[in-house]
Amino acid sequence: MAESIMKESTMKENTDIIRVQTSDFDLAAEYRALRAASAQTGAIVTFTGLVRDFNQGDQVAAMTLEHYPGMTEKVLADIVARARQRWRLQAVGVVHRVGALAPGEQIVFVGSASAHRGDAFAACEFIMDFLKTRAPFWKKERTGSGERWVDERQSDGEAAQRWQS
Amino acid sequence: MIKLLYFARFRDALDCAGEQLPLPAHIDDIAGLVAYLGERGKPWRETLGGARVLVAINQEVADFDAPVKEGDEVAFFPPVTGG
């Protein structure tokens, strides 16, 4: 009981949640945390990324996600801080999984809470675009012909570029 | 000493996840460090001398002309593919 009260008060001081974990996440729980952060919130936008079963013409049987512990968390915190400078946000949540993942599994969650939907939509997309091009995660796929590291996508770089203007 | 880390396909190509390296006195930037590591042989030259090599010093992305000093953590990795 005391522990849950402590957790809640900690969350209210710093409403941002940034986690890198092997375990799955519960979308409803992440949404609840964003919703509980502030009574000023009028809009919450959430994004969930999943493992596709098909990539570059091949059936994907499994995926492993590697990251750079320490730097990953710093980069994610920096991206969230930049989003906070651009938009008025009540709370932000970023959860990224690492380790072995099967097709259909959840990889990433980004949620943004704001007074109005415009800021919440924009911030959520901004955070995802920069996460994809800046945060040190790497995907390795297993297909019928063996294992391979996933190549960067040019479209991801372009998606991040458009926020520079 | 400096701490070196290699991630993803670089780790596989070099067969090395990380190492402690006494920093030679004549090396003062990333480009110099890459040239020095390249003396180890072809996989090192090809992996770290490739077109898409990212480097971080003390967990912040840096350029190849960035200075390297005693005690630094230097990581080499390919473009990121998370999310």
Side-chain angles (χ1 to χ4, degrees), chain A residues 66 68 96 137 139 149 151, chain B residues 8-9 11-12 73 81 83:
Chain A
E66 176 182 332
Y68 182 174
H96 203 298
F137 293 101
K139 287 179 184 144
W149 289 101
D151 287 322
Chain B
R9 74 170 88 219
R11 183 196 52 241
D12 287 359
E73 176 177 302
T81 55

Side-chain angles (χ1 to χ4, degrees), chain A residues 55-71:
Chain A
N55 191 29
Q56 296 175 334
D58 293 308
Q59 197 74 27
V60 176
M63 179 175 278
T64 309
L65 263 141
E66 176 182 332
H67 77 123
Y68 182 174
M71 182 173 170

Side-chain angles (χ1 to χ4, degrees), chain A residues 65-71 74 96 107-108 128 131-140 149-152, chain B residues 5-12 52 54 56-61 73-83:
Chain A
L65 263 141
E66 176 182 332
H67 77 123
Y68 182 174
M71 182 173 170
K74 280 190 200 174
H96 203 298
I107 303 181
V108 59
M128 262 317 293
L131 182 155
K132 290 210 73 117
T133 51
R134 301 284 195 280
F137 293 101
W138 301 274
K139 287 179 184 144
K140 193 182 212 176
W149 289 101
V150 174
D151 287 322
E152 61 179 326
Chain B
L5 297 170
Y6 312 99
F7 289 98
R9 74 170 88 219
F10 288 9
R11 183 196 52 241
D12 287 359
R52 300 291 286 138
L54 302 183
I57 303 174
N58 301 323
Q59 306 189 348
E60 292 207 8
V61 169
E73 176 177 302
V74 178
F76 292 98
F77 47 84
V80 302
T81 55

Side-chain angles (χ1 to χ4, degrees), chain A residues 56-133:
Chain A
Q56 296 175 334
D58 293 308
Q59 197 74 27
V60 176
M63 179 175 278
T64 309
L65 263 141
E66 176 182 332
H67 77 123
Y68 182 174
M71 182 173 170
T72 311
E73 293 81 355
K74 280 190 200 174
V75 171
L76 294 176
D78 179 58
I79 293 169
V80 169
R82 287 210 243 169
R84 280 190 165 280
Q85 285 168 6
R86 275 181 96 126
W87 298 285
R88 294 178 65 85
L89 303 170
Q90 307 298 335
V92 177
V94 179
V95 182
H96 203 298
R97 293 179 67 193
V98 291
L101 296 171
E105 283 200 71
Q106 304 184 116
I107 303 181
V108 59
F109 167 84
V110 173
S112 53
S114 181
H116 304 287
R117 73 181 184 283
D119 283 8
F121 271 123
C124 189
E125 196 168 22
F126 172 94
I127 292 166
M128 262 317 293
D129 285 348
F130 279 86
L131 182 155
K132 290 210 73 117
T133 51

